[in-house]
Amino acid sequence: MPTTETYQLRVTLFGPVALENQNARVVENPSRQSKPWLLLKYLLVNRHRPVTREELDALWPQGAGDSAARVRLNRLREALAPLGLDGKSGLVQYSAGVYRLNPRCALDVDEDRLTGLLERLRNCGFRDPAGLQLCMGALTLLVGPFLDQTAAPWVTPYRAHYRKEFCALARETLARSRVLEDDRAASLLLQRAAVMAPEDGELNRDIRAFLEENNRSADLLRCPAPARPKRRADKHHEIVKKIIIEDDKVFFISAASDRRPLCYARWEVLPLTRVYQSDGLPGLLLAVGREIHRGTLRTRADSKLTRAVRKALHTLGLETFLDMEEDPAAQMLADLTLEALRGE
């Protein structure tokens, strides 16, 4: 990479993590390269400071060491190759036990844009129409929870912070919309509430009430489904062939296991195993239903459990299931799956 050139890189941290420049767009794949992507996400969140090797080793207490660190860094650089930001002079640099992002890469991060919009909104008069435009701009950025597909303890405080910011933004958007008698933001707000704060029943009721006040009930019924990860064409590593429950562990075996028998769909194993240990089979099925609704899990009939899930999906109708709100849909799928398991 020439030392005199500056590279513009657009980064998305809300929802699935994505990086885009003039060369290509790279999106995280939750079933592959988990550790290199976790390394990248940690560096992106801490982009304004250098990060030490010891700090990163704490993320992998079972996999620390020089060799493991080199492997993670090399694989991360390989993943960035389509952007032209691989190699030692690419996006991620390492020297003397310290990682940093290349200062010649001009990062345009949605988190920074959101912070800027919220700061401008605080300085905008309550009756100023520009304030509602700022609200809509901020809502447009919030396509999903912060680092949505990342199950790591250090992410939790960030996610909780931005959920709180969203709830405050949502209520201010409603208040400004009522004062200005302008309902343009309401439908977008309803979509974002479904993915950013689905459990906040009061907020969702307030949004629906505002839509009804403005005779938008028909529009409400036609409101697009909440944003979900884009469903791509089937690839071997995305397909779960078999779900096996052994003692207190749940294994989601991918189609890639035909070539590597012990290759499990890594991102599914640990989170859903914990759910199974704490909440039993009903809790596991509820979690599976949520992942199917989000488009991050697919099943093929190859075991008793997957057959039961597919039978329940067939009963609901896949399109109907996806058009429903996530929590009711997941609960209905879990109940029908349990009935199917009892019937087999």
Side-chain angles (χ1 to χ4, degrees), residues 141-176:
L141 295 173
L142 296 169
V143 297
F146 189 75
L147 299 182
D148 187 25
Q149 299 177 352
T150 308
W154 61 268
V155 177
T156 303
Y158 291 96
R159 198 170 286 159
H161 168 74
Y162 283 113
R163 181 190 175 281
K164 183 178 179 181
E165 288 278 13
F166 167 78
C167 290
L169 172 64
R171 289 187 164 84
E172 180 161 358
T173 303
L174 276 178
R176 287 178 179 269

Side-chain angles (χ1 to χ4, degrees), residues 175-242:
R176 287 178 179 269
S177 296
R178 285 195 169 98
V179 167
L180 297 173
E181 298 182 349
D182 187 338
D183 61 0
R184 288 177 299 163
S187 294
L188 176 61
L189 180 56
L190 184 64
Q191 295 174 46
R192 295 301 187 253
V195 293
M196 293 295 295
E199 71 285 355
D200 193 333
E202 181 181 353
L203 174 60
N204 281 275
R205 284 193 297 272
D206 288 347
I207 299 170
R208 292 172 185 271
F210 176 73
L211 285 165
E212 291 171 357
E213 289 168 12
N214 288 272
N215 299 316
R216 291 283 298 278
S217 56
D219 290 344
L220 178 63
L221 295 175
R222 292 194 297 270
C223 183
R228 292 189 293 270
K230 191 173 181 179
R231 295 172 185 270
R232 295 174 290 179
D234 283 356
K235 293 183 180 179
H236 286 313
H237 61 262
E238 294 179 327
I239 300 167
V240 175
K241 282 187 62 180
K242 187 182 297 185

Side-chain angles (χ1 to χ4, degrees), residues 5 17 33 54 163 257 261 338:
E5 188 170 357
V17 174
Q33 297 186 329
E54 292 74 14
R163 181 190 175 281
S257 304
L338 282 173

